[in-house]
Amino acid sequence: MSRRVRGKMVLADGARFDGYLTGAAARPDWRGPIWGEVVFNTSMTGYQEVITDPSYAGQVVVMTYPQIGNYGVTADDSEKPTTAARALVVHDLQDFFSPGPGRVSLESFMIDQSLPGLTGVDTRAVTKHVRDKGAVIAAIGREDASDDELLALARAKKLDRSERLVESVSGALNAVHAGERGRAAVIDLGVKKSIVDHVRRLGLTTQVFDTTFRADDILKGRFDFVVLSNGPGDPADIPAVVEQVHALIGRIPMLGICLGHQIIALALGARTYKLKFGHHGANQPVIDHRSGQVFSTSQNHNYAVSDDIADLTGVTVTYTNANDGTLEGFVDEHRKIECVQFHPEASPGPHDCAVIFDRFFERVQQWGGAAKGTGGDVHAAS
């Protein structure tokens, strides 16, 4: 650490955590400071997928596992071409990494991606602080930045509609991928490459739309179903998307993932709320109420769907979180909808729930593809 420049992270509640500048922050021309919402991620691996997951837009990611960077970075493992997180904070950024074709160090990748960070931080203390106090904005700067300056910045900022987080990460994967077994539309709210890959794996022609999509365009496209993807921020911040999804309900089968799950819930008339510190990691336990099994899942969200969704909308709750009992999924056979709060493609993470894509496609085939893009109002939402 002796060769590194010291830096620090000051939280809006006044807490301060010291470390050493890394990534883009280690460049001589970096002046900072930067700010973002602090979240802790409990994954032991998958740091590259984490920082390139668009769901982390606007956030300072603190990795709870102490050694990060052991196996380097390779271009094929990125979920988007560019990083989405505001900063990466770790206890021990590894200089040595497992060699391999096209592999570079995590720090080199961070420098190339203009992603600042801190190493040498007591990440256990940060995690315990956030768990106790809740989600909070932080500012990261050089050692010579005054605590008062960083504190004022952290207190002056908040993640709100003006950040336009979803719009900032939507659109990078807009493309059509050929298949022979049918057609699927993916609404990119910050979609990960792995989710698109899993839909394509079903043998479907897969078209990705950004947040400017219109319901009529989806219905005219003769798609078998729609996938609403993961993404960052508060689902209530994108009412135009909720409105278009409401227009699709009952007219075409839909699979909602993470933010997409929350958007569909709002479109159905349910409510969402912010969790104290969210779920971020590749080892989150979820109970499947139909089988009684507990799955290890990959998750990244600060908002959740209210538990009273079944009473408000008539859906059937399918999954809940084994740690805190929050709602993790529901199904509506009448309106041909399935939603999950976790990431079934699990990048990074275990593959317990990858079968959800296959099961949903089987269900779509049983449903008969609903409107098949004809625009017919099969079971329109009230």
Side-chain angles (χ1 to χ4, degrees), residues 132-256:
D132 182 44
K133 304 294 185 181
V136 62
I137 300 295
I140 294 176
R142 300 171 66 92
E143 183 184 36
D144 55 9
S146 73
D147 287 5
D148 289 342
E149 173 192 355
L150 296 179
L151 180 62
L153 176 62
R155 288 180 172 175
K157 299 294 186 178
K158 63 178 180 178
L159 293 176
D160 56 21
R161 181 72 189 107
S162 64
E163 285 288 294
R164 301 182 67 85
L165 293 175
V166 171
E167 292 91 338
S168 72
V169 296
S170 174
L173 292 179
N174 286 15
V176 178
H177 307 278
E180 299 179 351
R181 298 182 65 196
R183 291 172 55 79
V186 175
I187 308 302
D188 176 9
L189 307 175
V191 71
K192 298 196 289 184
K193 174 176 66 70
S194 297
I195 288 178
V196 177
D197 289 344
H198 271 267
V199 177
R200 293 176 60 193
R201 180 180 56 79
L202 299 173
L204 304 170
T205 293
T206 305
Q207 185 167 353
V208 184
F209 294 82
D210 64 21
T211 56
T212 63
F213 80 98
R214 305 294 296 177
D216 286 346
D217 295 332
I218 302 296
L219 295 172
K220 292 174 183 177
R222 301 193 62 79
F223 295 104
D224 291 276
F225 63 87
V226 176
V227 176
L228 268 80
S229 83
N230 63 293
D234 185 346
D237 283 345
I238 44 176
V241 174
V242 176
E243 180 182 357
Q244 294 304 312
V245 171
H246 182 269
L248 291 173
I249 290 176
R251 305 173 76 180
I252 186 169
M254 288 193 287
L255 173 64

Side-chain angles (χ1 to χ4, degrees), residues 305-356:
V305 174
S306 179
D307 295 344
D308 60 4
I309 185 173
D311 295 332
L312 291 173
T313 69
V315 304
T316 299
V317 173
T318 50
Y319 302 97
T320 55
N321 190 289
N323 284 335
D324 60 14
T326 53
L327 189 140
E328 292 277 0
F330 62 87
V331 66
D332 187 332
E333 295 282 355
H334 182 63
R335 286 169 285 201
K336 300 175 173 55
I337 292 169
E338 182 168 7
C339 288
V340 293
Q341 180 63 79
F342 48 87
H343 292 196
E345 92 301 334
S347 292
H351 296 159
D352 295 21
C353 298
V355 69
I356 283 176

Side-chain angles (χ1 to χ4, degrees), residues 51-102:
I51 60 178
T52 58
D53 178 352
S55 298
Y56 283 103
Q59 295 179 331
V60 173
V61 180
V62 178
M63 301 298 292
T64 62
Y65 189 71
Q67 292 186 333
I68 299 297
N70 311 56
Y71 54 88
V73 169
T74 181
D76 292 341
D77 291 335
S78 290
E79 291 299 328
K80 279 282 180 78
T82 57
T83 56
R86 289 266 171 89
L88 178 65
V89 177
V90 302
H91 177 69
D92 183 7
L93 184 72
Q94 293 289 290
D95 292 325
F96 175 80
F97 59 94
S98 304

